[in-house]
Amino acid sequence: MENMLWAFGAAAAAFIISALLGKFLIPFLHKLKFGQTILEIGPDWHKKKQGTPTMGGIMFIIAIIVSTVAFYVAKIATTDASAGFTTQQSKIIIGLIMALGYGIIGFVDDYIKVVKKRNLGLTAKQKLVMQFAVAILYLAAMGFVDDSFTTTIIPFAGAVDLGWFYYVVSALVIVGIVNAANLTDGIDGLDGSITFFAAIIMMLISTMLKNIGGVIESAALAGGCLGFLVWNFHPAKVFMGDTGSLFLGGMVCSIMFALNVPILLLLIGFVYLMEMFSVMLQVSYFKLTHGKRLFKMSPIHHHFEMCGWSEVKIVCVFSLLTVILGAIAAVLVYFGVVNLA
């Protein structure tokens, strides 16, 4: 019960900060003319979104970091301040730094797009180099503070120490999820909603694993996303931009790795992965068939748009899918199928 009070406080603070920042940040972005440029390859009806302010992810980045740090420090101060800096506490801070690193990469990309008027922003190679650099530094830091970091759970097989191979796979997973979260940010409210429900599930799992850091961080993530959705739900008054979407991908990864259950990203992050693989399949099929398309448009949320689904319906269906698969992940943890304890 006490942990839930800390979680509620972190979520409420992040929600209030994120929502209030929108009141000031959106007019400021309008004044700076930091508007989104809509690509010609997108659905025609997205053209009316031209000029909507981007970089709105700054709102929840500030809210999540401030809320997490404030409530986690307060929790430590009131319970185990004399115990020193623990591995769990170190993992939370390292994870926040990683997520912020991805947010900075996204900010640079957005800045180039809206200020330098280069619509594609950073090149694909530049993004990947920076993203892998952040992932490698994060994993190195995690391995430094936790001697058992390379030991993870394989469902029905138990704890397995993968050694150096764990770092290779983890770097690929982190960069993959971060970019998948970026691809999910294509219609009003989608990325924020998916991450909100993922955060609720991660908070529940953190509670089961008695990881108060994960509880507070997940709660702050949920609150920050909800505060942003006040401004981003259809019709959006602001977009999160790569600034926000890369940060969200980093946050989800940081929490799951801190809990030592990254295997559950397959369920909790399924919608992210579905979006990413729909693009990969579309490109591969197009090349193999010399011009034919597997989907009407990718990422897959655009396919459903082209099929006549409204943006709100897509957000609701994809969110429900996240809740269902997230509930399965929580059940696996509850029954000890995925649990280091």
Side-chain angles (χ1 to χ4, degrees), residues 72 85-97 141-142 145:
Y72 201 36
F85 223 58
T86 67
T87 298
Q88 184 186 121
Q89 292 160 12
S90 299
K91 286 182 174 182
I92 295 301
I93 293 173
I94 293 169
L96 277 177
I97 293 172
M142 291 289 277
V145 301

Side-chain angles (χ1 to χ4, degrees), residues 213-226:
V215 171
I216 291 174
E217 192 172 16
S218 299
L221 176 58
C225 286
L226 195 60

Side-chain angles (χ1 to χ4, degrees), residues 17-39:
I17 294 170
S18 183
L20 285 179
L21 280 175
K23 188 74 174 175
F24 304 98
L25 183 63
I26 294 173
F28 181 68
L29 293 173
H30 267 298
K31 186 177 180 180
L32 294 177
K33 294 182 169 52
F34 278 15
Q36 179 72 45
T37 300
I38 304 302
L39 296 175

Side-chain angles (χ1 to χ4, degrees), residues 64-65 68 95-96 98-100 102 178 195 202 217-218 220-221 246-256:
I64 291 166
I65 291 177
T68 299
L96 277 177
M98 176 187 70
L100 181 59
Y102 283 119
V178 166
T195 308
M202 291 189 294
E217 192 172 16
S218 299
L221 176 58
L246 294 182
F247 175 83
L248 292 183
M251 280 294 295
V252 171
C253 286
S254 75
I255 295 170
M256 298 310 289

Side-chain angles (χ1 to χ4, degrees), residues 231-273:
W231 306 101
N232 181 243
F233 202 77
H234 186 73
K237 297 177 179 63
V238 67
F239 299 139
M240 67 175 67
D242 287 2
T243 304
S245 59
L246 294 182
F247 175 83
L248 292 183
M251 280 294 295
V252 171
C253 286
S254 75
I255 295 170
M256 298 310 289
F257 275 91
L259 296 176
N260 218 354
V261 287
I263 189 72
L264 293 181
L265 284 168
L266 291 172
L267 293 171
I268 295 173
F270 180 82
V271 170
Y272 298 144
L273 295 172

Side-chain angles (χ1 to χ4, degrees), residues 10 48 56 62 86 93 100 107 111 114 145 157 162 173 185 214 233 251 297 306 319:
K48 63 184 179 182
I62 293 172
T86 67
I93 293 173
L100 181 59
F107 178 84
Y111 184 84
V114 301
V145 301
L162 298 176
V173 168
D185 182 36
F233 202 77
M251 280 294 295
M297 187 176 289
M306 301 295 282
S319 296

Side-chain angles (χ1 to χ4, degrees), residues 35-314:
Q36 179 72 45
T37 300
I38 304 302
L39 296 175
E40 293 294 329
I41 58 174
D44 291 339
W45 51 89
H46 280 205
K47 298 285 174 49
K48 63 184 179 182
K49 300 182 181 184
Q50 184 86 15
T52 301
T54 188
M55 292 188 181
I58 293 171
M59 293 156 52
F60 58 73
I61 290 176
I62 293 172
I64 291 166
I65 291 177
V66 169
S67 179
T68 299
V69 172
F71 278 84
Y72 201 36
V73 168
K75 170 63 176 175
I76 294 169
T78 56
T79 54
D80 55 358
S82 62
F85 223 58
T86 67
T87 298
Q88 184 186 121
Q89 292 160 12
S90 299
K91 286 182 174 182
I92 295 301
I93 293 173
I94 293 169
L96 277 177
I97 293 172
M98 176 187 70
L100 181 59
Y102 283 119
I104 291 171
I105 294 172
F107 178 84
V108 172
D109 193 35
D110 285 334
Y111 184 84
I112 292 172
K113 290 175 184 175
V114 301
V115 177
K116 301 297 183 180
K117 306 302 179 184
R118 279 171 43 193
N119 192 47
L120 295 179
L122 292 168
T123 66
K125 183 179 292 186
Q126 288 171 332
K127 287 181 186 177
L128 283 176
V129 168
M130 288 189 282
Q131 288 170 356
F132 271 108
V134 171
I136 290 168
L137 289 172
Y138 166 73
L139 293 169
M142 291 289 277
F144 179 78
V145 301
D146 185 2
D147 294 335
S148 62
F149 179 62
T150 56
T151 299
T152 190
I153 287 293
I154 306 296
F156 307 107
V160 179
D161 188 350
L162 298 176
W164 64 268
F165 185 66
Y166 184 75
Y167 290 101
V168 176
V169 173
S170 296
L172 292 171
V173 168
I174 291 170
V175 173
I177 290 291
V178 166
N179 281 290
N182 180 231
L183 289 170
T184 305
D185 182 36
I187 59 176
D188 298 353
L190 181 59
D191 216 352
S193 296
I194 296 304
T195 308
F196 167 76
F197 288 108
I200 295 297
I201 296 297
M202 291 189 294
M203 184 175 67
L204 179 60
I205 291 173
S206 298
T207 302
M208 294 179 189
L209 297 178
K210 296 180 173 58
N211 189 313
I212 183 59
V215 171
I216 291 174
E217 192 172 16
S218 299
L221 176 58
C225 286
L226 195 60
F228 179 70
L229 286 171
V230 169
W231 306 101
N232 181 243
F233 202 77
H234 186 73
K237 297 177 179 63
V238 67
F239 299 139
M240 67 175 67
D242 287 2
T243 304
S245 59
L246 294 182
F247 175 83
L248 292 183
M251 280 294 295
V252 171
C253 286
S254 75
I255 295 170
M256 298 310 289
F257 275 91
L259 296 176
N260 218 354
V261 287
I263 189 72
L264 293 181
L265 284 168
L266 291 172
L267 293 171
I268 295 173
F270 180 82
V271 170
Y272 298 144
L273 295 172
M274 179 176 67
E275 297 275 18
M276 180 178 68
F277 283 115
S278 71
V279 174
M280 296 171 66
L281 287 171
Q282 182 84 321
V283 172
S284 299
Y285 189 79
F286 186 85
K287 290 180 178 179
L288 288 172
T289 59
H290 304 289
K292 293 183 179 179
R293 288 176 168 79
L294 186 62
F295 305 108
K296 292 184 177 181
M297 187 176 289
S298 66
I300 200 167
H301 58 257
H302 287 322
H303 169 80
F304 288 108
E305 273 194 286
M306 301 295 282
C307 290
W309 287 28
S310 69
E311 294 189 42
V312 173
K313 180 177 179 179
I314 294 170

